Amino acid sequence: MLNGTNMLNNATDVHTNANNSSHKIIKGDLADKNESEPFLQPVLDDVYLRPVETVNVFVCTLKNKKDTAVVLRKFSEDFPLENLSHLKRIKSSKTKDAPLQIIVCSLEVADGEAFKNLDIGEESVLSKPYCVSVPRYPPLTRQQYLEAIQYWPVSFHEDKHIASLLSGNYFTKEETCRFKRHMMMAVEYAKHAKALSKEPIGAVIVDPSTDMVIAKSHDDRHGNHPLHHAVMICIDLMARSQGGGMWKFGKECDLYSVPCMQSSKGDNDSSLPYLCTGYDLFVTREPCVMCAMALVHSRIQRVFYGSSSKDGALGTKLKLHVQSGLNHRYQVFKGLLEKECDKLFENNSNQT
Amino acid sequence: MEAVHHHWMEETFLLAEEALKLGEVPVGCAFVYKDQIIATGKNEVNETKNACRHAEIVAIDKVLNWCDERGDKSEDVFRESALYVTVEPCIMCAGALRQIGVSLVVYGCKNDRFGGCGSIISVHQAELPTLGQSFHCIGGVMTDRAVQLLKDFYKGENPNCPESKRKIKSE
Ligand SMILES: [Zn+2]
Ligand SMILES: [Zn+2]
């Protein structure tokens, strides 16, 4: 297993990789859509976004097509492709009647006895093996598929859900309108915080099944408590609305205005503190790692944020919502009312 | 040095045992400042209905109050404090500990589910400048006792019980 530091470094690396040329195609696509219509960008696991990585394998050229079946059978038995099973074994050439190329095995396997003892047969059947770069991983998105087949034919099973997320049409117009309304409320709270010289960040928790606002808050980390981030306060207000809660808030408490409510989940065991199960969070700025993990603990369903933060844990420095090893994952969308959210930080010295 | 750690860890285990009796995940902690304990905490997730009410957060709140009463600056106190905790802080708490600016954390056993000081990710040492300074960690102090407590807790969970009645596994 990778240790924690490596995981972090990897996250950063991939982020850097995202700027390389092959990946710009995706980015450009999203940017175009962003300009024409408001587009909620899903923050997906890096496996869906990474450019195609390659690995070297040994390939032979098949001199006569009539030998294909025999060679294919022999190679499949002696050198199963195992973790390269997404690769098609044979690559045909674009020009008709040109020789076929066939994968023998990976370089690691080529160190073994089987390869050394390989009876390639007469020179007339196969060429000498040579190295070719092929895609290391199965393609998970159409973009990756199109990139992968530039190297070598691969099989591709499109994930409909991921494809829909990437299409830019995942949410209906009505849904997007609703989301904007909730984010607007978070922006209002952030403005209020700004007027009080607090960190201009606002948060709102909504039950999407009823469209009801459950809790709303703004940041207060520079007040009496350094952990009073908007998200942490919002989660605690949820707990308070159900008879719990860990923090007492000062007179600004009025502002948070939590409706006193019964559990709408039909779950009468109120001792379960997974209060955010099935709920959405709207927050003007990308949460830090503490808040992102607090949302894992609270079992939030989806998070929508406006602007990114320097050390943000939901896309910028980390993707904690899809972190392997954790027992809960949630969906994240960024860029909701991004301009309004960015504007909150204008003339603000604390750029978090 | 080891003996000093054991001395403070003993205290945190008493808190963890208390949490266990109350049906909470058995984690306890203590902030040590100028050779004395200034605040302790145990898990209070069920009590507060807030899944974030981990022992460390409870203790941080108490240190803030303690500083408030004495008129001390909390940043100064945290900087010169060490946190002793029975289990490796989770990712959330590790983030919290960086933001309050603690310099040393000593813990018992690893936290395989949520660990933020190496087990899942390394928040304590990660390149996250806006979160504050990184902090130093010493793990593996009285590990067996910490592990045993967690085992006792999970053993107490009756797997035949309906999901909603089962204890919360939150640290
Ligand atoms: Zn935060
Ligand atoms: Zn924790």
Side-chain angles (χ1 to χ4, degrees):
Chain A
M1 199 183 99
L2 289 167
N3 71 26
T5 318
N6 275 342
M7 299 294 287
L8 271 174
N9 288 343
N10 284 348
T12 322
D13 285 351
V14 172
H15 199 71
T16 322
N17 285 345
N19 294 328
N20 81 14
S21 57
S22 58
H23 202 63
K24 269 185 186 142
I25 310 162
I26 302 180
K27 288 217 152 180
D29 256 11
L30 295 182
D32 291 346
K33 278 189 178 115
N34 230 343
E35 273 157 24
S36 54
E37 57 185 289
F39 176 60
L40 276 174
Q41 217 178 307
V43 181
L44 299 176
D45 196 318
D46 291 331
V47 296
Y48 298 107
L49 306 173
R50 65 184 169 201
V52 168
E53 257 179 62
T54 59
V55 60
N56 285 335
V57 295
F58 274 119
V59 167
C60 287
T61 303
L62 202 59
K63 292 185 176 164
N64 199 326
K65 270 186 187 167
K66 72 174 170 38
D67 299 321
T68 309
V70 179
V71 175
L72 199 57
R73 194 178 322 123
K74 177 161 177 53
F75 281 2
S76 306
E77 275 168 23
D78 292 354
F79 307 108
L81 285 176
E82 286 172 346
N83 48 13
L84 293 175
S85 61
H86 56 283
L87 299 173
K88 303 242 165 101
R89 196 105 204 187
I90 291 181
K91 181 181 185 179
S92 51
S93 175
K94 278 168 203 139
T95 44
K96 239 185 174 185
D97 298 325
L100 299 174
Q101 287 178 290
I102 180 160
I103 295 176
V104 186
C105 61
S106 66
L107 296 199
E108 298 92 72
V109 174
D111 283 339
E113 285 303 302
F115 185 74
K116 282 175 194 144
N117 299 334
L118 174 66
D119 180 12
I120 297 279
E122 273 106 304
E123 297 240 319
S124 61
V125 178
L126 289 168
S127 73
K128 277 212 158 60
Y130 49 93
C131 266
V132 170
S133 292
V134 297
R136 179 190 293 269
Y137 303 111
L140 300 174
T141 65
R142 184 151 294 274
Q143 179 71 41
Q144 286 175 340
Y145 170 68
L146 293 173
E147 244 180 83
I149 56 173
Q150 303 296 315
Y151 293 90
W152 192 268
V154 294
S155 44
F156 172 49
H157 309 284
E158 189 163 37
D159 180 324
K160 291 279 180 306
H161 178 69
I162 295 295
S164 165
L165 279 169
L166 287 169
S167 72
N169 304 317
Y170 182 66
F171 295 116
T172 63
K173 268 211 166 93
E174 288 78 9
E175 282 175 308
T176 312
C177 274
R178 239 186 291 147
F179 297 158
K180 274 193 207 163
R181 193 155 40 76
H182 296 311
M183 186 60 98
M184 208 55 229
M185 188 187 282
V187 170
E188 287 308 314
Y189 272 70
K191 281 181 183 164
H192 198 99
K194 192 173 184 171
L196 297 168
S197 307
K198 297 173 190 293
E199 201 79 354
I201 302 173
V204 174
I205 292 175
V206 175
D207 179 351
S209 67
T210 59
D211 204 34
M212 203 163 83
V213 174
I214 312 286
K216 34 199 175 175
S217 68
H218 64 60
D219 211 276
D220 197 18
R221 71 184 72 180
H222 304 306
N224 297 322
H225 203 303
L227 306 184
H228 280 182
H229 293 198
V231 172
M232 293 296 279
I233 293 175
C234 221
I235 290 172
D236 200 44
L237 290 173
M238 289 257 341
R240 251 153 78 102
S241 74
Q242 315 232 339
M246 62 178 179
W247 285 327
K248 289 190 179 67
F249 301 103
K251 62 175 186 296
E252 64 270 37
C253 183
D254 301 342
L255 177 72
Y256 303 141
S257 67
V258 196
C260 197
M261 52 171 305
Q262 300 296 314
S263 170
S264 59
K265 290 162 193 163
D267 177 1
N268 45 16
D269 185 357
S270 55
S271 73
L272 267 178
Y274 298 152
L275 291 176
C276 296
T277 303
Y279 288 172
D280 291 342
L281 170 79
F282 297 84
V283 58
T284 54
R285 203 158 187 79
E286 182 185 1
C288 74
V289 67
M290 170 183 73
C291 292
M293 189 60 195
L295 292 164
V296 172
H297 287 316
S298 306
R299 305 288 197 273
I300 197 88
Q301 178 175 289
R302 294 187 296 196
V303 172
F304 299 83
Y305 66 84
S307 52
S308 299
S309 59
K310 263 188 213 156
D311 286 335
L314 297 182
T316 301
K317 277 278 174 79
L318 288 163
K319 289 183 173 176
L320 204 68
H321 59 297
V322 289
Q323 173 69 48
S324 63
L326 295 180
N327 61 354
H328 176 73
R329 291 183 164 207
Y330 50 88
Q331 282 192 307
V332 173
F333 298 88
K334 67 173 184 177
L336 183 58
L337 298 187
E338 189 171 12
K339 273 185 200 144
E340 287 84 341
C341 293
D342 277 340
K343 240 172 93 178
L344 292 164
F345 271 82
E346 273 171 17
N347 314 319
N348 191 301
S349 51
N350 301 308
Q351 279 288 333
T352 50
Chain B
M1 200 61 201
E2 191 72 341
V4 180
H5 291 330
H6 279 242
H7 172 72
W8 300 122
M9 283 300 275
E10 284 287 347
E11 299 290 326
T12 66
F13 278 111
L14 300 179
L15 288 144
E17 280 158 10
E18 229 177 279
L20 181 66
K21 273 186 213 137
L22 294 167
E24 301 272 5
V25 179
V27 181
C29 73
F31 273 100
V32 175
Y33 173 66
K34 294 190 173 161
D35 228 26
Q36 61 159 332
I37 290 180
I38 57 168
T40 61
K42 60 174 174 22
N43 225 354
E44 293 173 359
V45 164
N46 292 330
E47 189 189 324
T48 58
K49 300 185 182 182
N50 186 334
C52 308
R53 196 59 174 163
H54 290 183
E56 297 92 324
I57 306 293
V58 174
I60 289 170
D61 281 359
K62 288 187 190 163
V63 173
L64 290 170
N65 284 338
W66 186 84
C67 292
D68 222 24
E69 278 164 21
R70 292 166 46 109
D72 284 349
K73 277 188 84 178
S74 61
E75 300 98 281
D76 300 338
V77 173
F78 280 125
R79 199 184 317 113
E80 289 174 46
S81 295
L83 174 76
Y84 288 82
V85 55
T86 55
V87 181
E88 173 194 352
C90 77
I91 294 167
M92 174 189 73
C93 291
L97 290 163
R98 271 187 76 152
Q99 296 186 71
I100 58 162
V102 79
S103 39
L104 173 67
V105 171
V106 181
Y107 65 82
C109 67
K110 291 247 163 237
N111 184 343
D112 297 332
R113 305 162 69 92
F114 303 124
C117 303
S119 289
I120 304 284
I121 53 174
S122 298
V123 176
H124 67 309
Q125 292 289 337
E127 177 62 22
L128 300 167
T130 61
L131 213 63
Q133 290 237 315
S134 58
F135 61 83
H136 189 62
C137 264
I138 299 174
V141 182
M142 302 171 81
T143 308
D144 295 347
R145 192 163 161 194
V147 169
Q148 189 55 50
L149 266 171
L150 290 174
K151 275 189 186 159
D152 289 348
F153 174 77
Y154 290 118
K155 204 168 58 202
E157 281 194 314
N158 182 351
N160 297 322
C161 242
E163 184 67 29
S164 63
K165 292 281 186 288
R166 288 174 64 185
K167 303 268 166 35
I168 313 310
K169 300 176 183 175
S170 51
E171 194 151 16

